[in-house]
Amino acid sequence: GDGDYGKLGRGGSDGCKVPKKIDPLLKCQIVKIVCGSQFSMALGRNGDLYTWGKGDYHRLGHSSEDHVRWPQRVVGLNGQKVLEISCGSLFCVCVTDDHQVYAWGDNDEGQCGNGKTNAVPTPQLIDSLQGKRINRIACGSAHAIAWSTLEQSASTKQPDTIPPEYPLLQDTPIENLRNRLILLHSFSEIFSSSLRMFSLEATSQGHKVTHSLRHTLVMSHKETAFKKVVQATMIRDRQHGPSSSSTGCSVVRHEAARTGAGQYSLRRVPC
């Protein structure tokens, strides 16, 4: 592609018509790359973040507006392990392993979340998101959204009794099961947010780590989102227009038919 401002990360401004490796990143074990307006970000497996390309509006996070023609580590995040990155047109946002959110770059629409409209030259912590356990972020051209997954609490969503479908647990004290459930949820959240940091290569035993844990992890945030979608589409205690049901390979449609005296009933009609 076009190489002006060094956005191809090869040290010059020449364009390139075929894909070529970016040599400085070969040993960084890059797990994710995102691109904004004439610049790019790359996240390493160890949590280091690299940016390069056009530098005005401080979009690269290097404290200056100079263009950077080679991938350069964002030193403003030293000591932080970045797990998630996203960028808009002229600004960037990242999430660290302790659920802190940092933003930098153009801020004329308040997209860096600091309550101001001045450009942010280096990664700046978004104070209003502290304590929210942010795990995911996404950016539009000049706005950002953050996804919070609150930690499982000992006082909420805990069973009062042992369900009868778990006979092997009936003799286990309910308090012990509650503590195990809290630990399971906490581990699942930590592992899920760090998933891309784990190697997917087969181990010496011939299986993958993620495959071994897939029956143990509890994706509670996915379950909650699914329930909300289902509940939003449910209609309770009312019949609204024609409905369809599928049985095997046949489809039956029901319509409301007036039976007289203002009463209605459902009748089957062929589809």
Side-chain angles (χ1 to χ4, degrees):
D2 184 27
D4 57 352
Y5 306 109
K7 56 177 173 271
L8 296 185
R10 298 197 187 93
S13 297
D14 296 336
C16 183
K17 296 183 178 180
V18 295
K20 290 185 179 180
K21 295 180 181 179
I22 301 177
D23 292 336
L25 295 177
L26 292 179
K27 296 182 179 181
C28 296
Q29 293 186 301
I30 300 302
V31 295
K32 185 174 183 178
I33 292 179
V34 296
C35 299
S37 177
Q38 300 190 353
F39 77 102
S40 300
M41 305 169 61
L43 177 62
R45 187 180 297 279
N46 62 356
D48 287 340
L49 183 62
Y50 303 84
T51 62
W52 66 95
K54 196 172 184 179
D56 58 345
Y57 298 100
H58 299 286
R59 69 189 83 177
L60 300 182
H62 299 311
S63 75
S64 75
E65 295 187 282
D66 296 338
H67 308 321
V68 177
R69 304 182 186 279
W70 297 96
Q72 182 175 323
R73 188 162 59 88
V74 181
V75 297
L77 292 169
N78 280 355
Q80 302 291 336
K81 185 175 183 179
V82 178
L83 296 182
E84 184 72 15
I85 59 175
S86 185
C87 66
S89 180
L90 302 171
F91 77 107
C92 303
V93 185
C94 72
V95 181
T96 61
D97 61 345
D98 57 354
H99 307 285
Q100 303 288 358
V101 183
Y102 293 81
W104 63 94
D106 187 27
N107 194 32
D108 59 346
E109 302 291 342
Q111 56 263 51
C112 288
N114 61 359
K116 303 177 181 178
T117 56
N118 299 325
V120 180
T122 58
Q124 184 178 93
L125 181 66
I126 301 180
D127 293 330
S128 60
L129 292 178
Q130 292 196 63
K132 303 295 186 181
R133 282 186 60 85
I134 302 300
N135 288 325
R136 298 286 186 272
I137 39 93
C139 298
S141 176
H143 73 281
I145 59 175
W147 181 11
S148 170
T149 305
L150 295 179
E151 186 173 5
Q152 185 78 7
S153 171
S155 61
T156 60
K157 298 183 180 179
Q158 297 301 311
D160 296 323
T161 59
I162 300 175
E165 59 265 30
Y166 299 105
L168 296 179
L169 299 178
Q170 296 302 318
D171 296 330
T172 304
I174 187 65
E175 191 62 31
N176 291 354
L177 292 178
R178 289 174 179 172
N179 291 335
R180 292 180 187 180
L181 185 59
I182 293 173
L183 178 62
L184 177 60
H185 277 270
S186 298
F187 171 77
S188 298
E189 296 294 351
I190 294 172
F191 184 85
S192 298
S193 63
S194 308
L195 185 60
R196 59 171 49 87
M197 298 299 170
F198 287 81
S199 174
L200 298 180
E201 299 295 331
T203 65
S204 58
Q205 287 76 26
H207 62 274
K208 296 180 179 179
V209 174
T210 52
H211 179 76
S212 302
L213 292 174
R214 66 188 180 92
H215 295 297
T216 304
L217 298 179
V218 177
M219 305 298 186
S220 57
H221 48 279
K222 291 186 178 181
E223 179 183 352
T224 301
F226 176 74
K227 286 182 178 179
K228 287 182 178 179
V229 172
V230 173
Q231 291 173 355
T233 60
M234 291 178 63
I235 300 176
R236 298 180 182 178
D237 303 326
R238 296 180 65 184
Q239 177 66 36
H240 290 261
S243 62
S244 297
S245 61
S246 176
T247 305
C249 296
S250 63
V251 176
V252 177
R253 185 161 61 92
H254 296 82
E255 289 184 348
R258 188 165 184 172
T259 60
Q263 300 297 318
Y264 288 83
S265 64
L266 295 179
R267 65 180 183 184
R268 292 177 53 148
V269 295
C271 297

